[in-house]
Amino acid sequence: MCTHRPTCPTADSPDREAAHTIASHPEQGWALLCNSVLVFEVMSISQSQGLV
C-alpha cells in the first residue's frame, strides 16, 4: 500500500511508471516501483556489433 502523498498510480493505470522507485538495481537493469511494478531497462544492440 502506497503511503506517498499524492498516492502513486496503481499497477493497472496508464501512468503506472510514474510511481516512486523503492528499489533500484541499474547494474542489473531493473527497478521496483511503489505499486509493485517491475521496470526493466531495454538494451539495444545493433547488428553491426555482430551480437544479434
Side-chain angles (χ1 to χ4, degrees), residues 1 5 9 12 14-15 27-28 40 42 48-50:
M1 176 176 245
R5 294 290 176 235
D12 58 352
D15 60 343
E27 71 282 358
Q28 296 176 357
F40 293 93
V42 177
S48 65
Q49 293 174 326

Side-chain angles (χ1 to χ4, degrees), residues 6-44:
T7 58
C8 293
T10 61
D12 58 352
S13 296
D15 60 343
R16 62 187 155 266
E17 291 186 19
H20 286 86
T21 301
I22 58 172
S24 178
H25 291 275
E27 71 282 358
Q28 296 176 357
W30 63 270
L32 175 64
L33 304 182
C34 181
N35 56 6
S36 300
V37 169
L38 278 171
V39 178
F40 293 93
E41 184 178 316
V42 177
M43 191 167 117
S44 175

